[in-house]
Amino acid sequence: MSETAEPGEDQGWTPAPDVGQAGAVILESGRWAYRYKEGAVPILMKMPERPNPA
């Protein structure tokens, strides 16, 4: 997905799968988390609500 949405396309972003890196990640359970430095314990994040496709 690009950073800009095409007309009629919902804009969204999904974090990278978790492999111990710093930044926003998606855990094996599907929950989003943030790690402030590599190897630190991830902090769970609230996933943004996205509109259901019609």
Side-chain angles (χ1 to χ4, degrees):
M1 172 173 280
S2 68
E3 292 184 18
T4 58
E6 296 297 322
E9 175 187 46
D10 287 333
Q11 179 128 6
W13 173 81
T14 302
D18 181 29
V19 290
Q21 76 275 29
V25 297
I26 190 164
L27 304 174
E28 288 182 21
S29 65
R31 304 239 3 225
W32 289 26
Y34 178 80
R35 185 176 285 114
Y36 66 94
K37 68 177 186 177
E38 193 171 317
V41 175
I43 300 166
L44 295 179
M45 295 171 40
K46 181 178 178 184
M47 292 176 58
E49 292 185 22
R50 294 189 179 157
N52 292 331

